Amino acid sequence: MRTKTSKNNTILILIAEDDPEDRLLAKEAIDENGLVSRVEFVENGVQLMDYLFNRPPYTDKEKFPTPGLIILDLNMPKKDGREALKEIKSSKLLKSLPVVVLSTSKADEDIMQTYDLGVNSFITKPVTFKALVEIMDTLCHYWFEIVELPANHD
Protein backbone atom coordinates (compact mmCIF):
# COMPACT_ATOMS: atom_id res chain seq x y z
CA MET A 1 0.00 0.00 0.00
CA ARG A 2 1.12 3.53 -0.70
CA THR A 3 1.32 6.58 1.53
CA LYS A 4 -2.10 8.09 2.08
CA THR A 5 -1.84 11.66 0.84
CA SER A 6 -4.93 12.59 -1.12
CA LYS A 7 -5.23 15.92 -2.93
CA ASN A 8 -8.81 16.03 -1.71
CA ASN A 9 -9.95 13.71 1.04
CA THR A 10 -13.48 15.11 1.02
CA ILE A 11 -14.38 13.48 -2.28
CA LEU A 12 -17.51 11.35 -2.24
CA ILE A 13 -17.74 7.94 -3.86
CA LEU A 14 -21.27 6.91 -4.77
CA ILE A 15 -21.68 3.16 -5.11
CA ALA A 16 -24.70 1.64 -6.86
CA GLU A 17 -24.89 -1.93 -5.58
CA ASP A 18 -27.95 -4.01 -4.71
CA ASP A 19 -26.21 -6.72 -2.66
CA PRO A 20 -25.89 -5.76 1.05
CA GLU A 21 -22.81 -7.95 1.56
CA ASP A 22 -21.06 -6.43 -1.46
CA ARG A 23 -21.90 -2.93 -0.14
CA LEU A 24 -20.34 -3.77 3.23
CA LEU A 25 -17.22 -5.26 1.65
CA ALA A 26 -16.81 -2.25 -0.66
CA LYS A 27 -17.12 0.18 2.26
CA GLU A 28 -14.60 -1.76 4.34
CA ALA A 29 -12.19 -2.00 1.38
CA ILE A 30 -12.41 1.76 0.76
CA ASP A 31 -11.96 2.51 4.46
CA GLU A 32 -8.77 0.43 4.41
CA ASN A 33 -7.10 2.86 2.00
CA GLY A 34 -7.90 6.04 3.95
CA LEU A 35 -8.12 8.34 0.90
CA VAL A 36 -11.85 8.90 0.86
CA SER A 37 -13.77 10.39 3.72
CA ARG A 38 -17.23 9.62 2.46
CA VAL A 39 -19.00 6.77 0.69
CA GLU A 40 -22.72 6.72 -0.12
CA PHE A 41 -24.73 3.80 -1.43
CA VAL A 42 -27.80 3.39 -3.57
CA GLU A 43 -29.38 0.01 -4.22
CA ASN A 44 -30.53 0.30 -7.83
CA GLY A 45 -30.37 2.45 -10.94
CA VAL A 46 -33.54 4.37 -10.10
CA GLN A 47 -32.10 5.45 -6.75
CA LEU A 48 -28.81 6.31 -8.48
CA MET A 49 -30.49 8.65 -10.94
CA ASP A 50 -32.67 10.16 -8.20
CA TYR A 51 -29.50 10.85 -6.20
CA LEU A 52 -27.62 12.35 -9.15
CA PHE A 53 -30.51 14.60 -10.16
CA ASN A 54 -31.33 15.46 -6.52
CA ARG A 55 -34.84 14.10 -6.71
CA PRO A 56 -36.63 12.98 -3.53
CA PRO A 57 -35.41 11.71 -1.15
CA TYR A 58 -32.03 13.17 -2.23
CA THR A 59 -33.03 16.83 -2.60
CA ASP A 60 -30.62 18.22 0.03
CA LYS A 61 -27.44 19.07 -1.96
CA GLU A 62 -25.38 19.44 1.23
CA LYS A 63 -26.37 16.01 2.46
CA PHE A 64 -26.22 14.44 -1.04
CA PRO A 65 -23.49 16.26 -3.01
CA THR A 66 -22.36 15.37 -6.49
CA PRO A 67 -19.97 12.41 -6.24
CA GLY A 68 -16.39 12.52 -7.44
CA LEU A 69 -16.65 8.92 -8.58
CA ILE A 70 -19.48 6.49 -9.27
CA ILE A 71 -18.89 2.77 -8.84
CA LEU A 72 -21.62 0.93 -10.67
CA ASP A 73 -22.85 -2.64 -10.54
CA LEU A 74 -24.39 -3.81 -13.82
CA ASN A 75 -27.05 -6.19 -12.56
CA MET A 76 -29.44 -4.32 -10.29
CA PRO A 77 -33.23 -4.27 -9.93
CA LYS A 78 -35.56 -1.54 -11.26
CA LYS A 79 -32.97 0.02 -13.59
CA ASP A 80 -29.79 -1.88 -14.30
CA GLY A 81 -26.32 -0.41 -14.51
CA ARG A 82 -26.32 -0.27 -18.30
CA GLU A 83 -29.49 1.85 -18.36
CA ALA A 84 -28.17 4.13 -15.61
CA LEU A 85 -24.81 4.49 -17.38
CA LYS A 86 -26.54 5.43 -20.63
CA GLU A 87 -28.57 8.07 -18.80
CA ILE A 88 -25.52 9.48 -16.98
CA LYS A 89 -23.38 9.73 -20.09
CA SER A 90 -26.19 11.30 -22.15
CA SER A 91 -26.80 14.03 -19.55
CA LYS A 92 -25.03 17.33 -20.10
CA LEU A 93 -24.86 17.79 -16.32
CA LEU A 94 -23.50 14.33 -15.49
CA LYS A 95 -21.51 13.07 -18.48
CA SER A 96 -18.13 14.20 -17.12
CA LEU A 97 -18.56 12.24 -13.87
CA PRO A 98 -16.16 9.30 -13.79
CA VAL A 99 -17.99 5.97 -13.73
CA VAL A 100 -16.32 2.66 -12.99
CA VAL A 101 -18.24 -0.57 -13.48
CA LEU A 102 -17.47 -3.15 -10.81
CA SER A 103 -19.29 -6.32 -11.82
CA THR A 104 -19.18 -10.07 -11.49
CA SER A 105 -19.53 -10.22 -15.27
CA LYS A 106 -16.57 -11.12 -17.44
CA ALA A 107 -18.66 -11.25 -20.61
CA ASP A 108 -17.10 -9.52 -23.61
CA GLU A 109 -20.55 -8.23 -24.54
CA ASP A 110 -20.94 -6.44 -21.18
CA ILE A 111 -17.44 -5.00 -21.37
CA MET A 112 -17.89 -3.70 -24.93
CA GLN A 113 -21.39 -2.38 -24.28
CA THR A 114 -20.35 -0.40 -21.21
CA TYR A 115 -17.37 1.13 -22.99
CA ASP A 116 -19.65 2.01 -25.91
CA LEU A 117 -21.91 3.75 -23.40
CA GLY A 118 -19.00 5.79 -22.04
CA VAL A 119 -17.81 3.99 -18.91
CA ASN A 120 -14.37 5.10 -17.74
CA SER A 121 -13.29 1.64 -16.54
CA PHE A 122 -14.65 -1.89 -16.29
CA ILE A 123 -13.40 -4.07 -13.44
CA THR A 124 -14.47 -7.61 -12.63
CA LYS A 125 -15.21 -8.06 -8.93
CA PRO A 126 -12.39 -9.94 -7.26
CA VAL A 127 -12.88 -13.14 -5.34
CA THR A 128 -10.99 -12.17 -2.17
CA PHE A 129 -11.33 -9.21 0.18
CA LYS A 130 -7.59 -8.54 -0.07
CA ALA A 131 -7.91 -8.16 -3.84
CA LEU A 132 -10.92 -5.85 -3.37
CA VAL A 133 -8.88 -3.66 -1.00
CA GLU A 134 -6.11 -3.46 -3.62
CA ILE A 135 -8.60 -2.53 -6.34
CA MET A 136 -10.22 0.17 -4.19
CA ASP A 137 -6.79 1.49 -3.22
CA THR A 138 -5.78 1.69 -6.87
CA LEU A 139 -9.09 3.32 -7.89
CA CYS A 140 -8.90 5.93 -5.15
CA HIS A 141 -5.24 6.63 -5.83
CA TYR A 142 -5.87 7.01 -9.55
CA TRP A 143 -9.07 9.07 -9.43
CA PHE A 144 -8.23 11.24 -6.42
CA GLU A 145 -4.45 11.64 -6.57
CA ILE A 146 -3.33 11.24 -10.17
CA VAL A 147 -5.98 12.51 -12.57
CA GLU A 148 -7.40 16.01 -12.68
CA LEU A 149 -11.17 15.97 -12.33
CA PRO A 150 -13.53 18.74 -13.45
CA ALA A 151 -14.57 21.25 -10.82
CA ASN A 152 -17.55 20.32 -8.66
CA HIS A 153 -20.74 20.13 -10.71
CA ASP A 154 -22.89 21.83 -8.07
Side-chain angles (χ1 to χ4, degrees):
M1 296 267 170
R2 62 187 58 85
T3 305
K4 310 303 186 217
T5 56
S6 175
K7 289 192 290 188
N8 183 350
N9 65 358
T10 61
I11 293 176
L12 166 70
I13 295 178
L14 180 59
I15 300 177
E17 171 62 63
D18 63 313
D19 184 275
E21 187 174 316
D22 284 351
R23 287 194 303 268
L24 178 63
L25 290 172
K27 173 74 168 115
E28 289 176 356
I30 289 168
D31 288 347
E32 287 272 327
N33 74 50
L35 286 175
V36 177
S37 63
R38 186 160 171 209
V39 178
E40 291 287 337
F41 292 93
V42 292
E43 297 180 13
N44 59 61
V46 170
Q47 287 180 357
L48 174 62
M49 300 318 298
D50 287 346
Y51 183 107
L52 293 173
F53 285 112
N54 294 108
R55 297 185 290 236
Y58 307 102
T59 55
D60 184 342
K61 286 289 281 178
E62 281 193 36
K63 189 173 178 184
F64 305 106
T66 302
L69 176 65
I70 298 167
I71 298 178
L72 181 63
D73 185 28
L74 286 184
N75 300 311
M76 298 182 293
K78 297 187 181 181
K79 179 182 284 197
D80 73 14
R82 294 164 203 80
E83 295 170 298
L85 177 62
K86 184 176 182 180
E87 193 172 341
I88 291 165
K89 293 303 181 178
S90 65
S91 165
K92 186 177 179 182
L93 295 172
L94 303 175
K95 68 181 175 182
S96 65
L97 288 176
V99 179
V100 172
V101 165
L102 185 62
S103 176
T104 55
S105 176
K106 292 181 181 181
D108 287 341
E109 180 181 328
D110 286 336
I111 295 167
M112 288 304 300
Q113 183 183 27
T114 56
Y115 278 110
D116 286 346
L117 292 171
V119 77
N120 297 92
S121 300
F122 187 105
I123 300 170
T124 301
K125 286 181 184 176
V127 183
T128 67
F129 180 71
K130 181 180 178 186
L132 182 62
V133 169
E134 290 173 6
I135 285 171
M136 292 302 187
D137 181 62
T138 301
L139 278 175
C140 291
H141 178 70
Y142 178 76
W143 286 109
F144 304 136
E145 292 186 320
I146 295 175
V147 300
E148 295 297 329
L149 295 171
N152 197 332
H153 300 276
D154 297 335

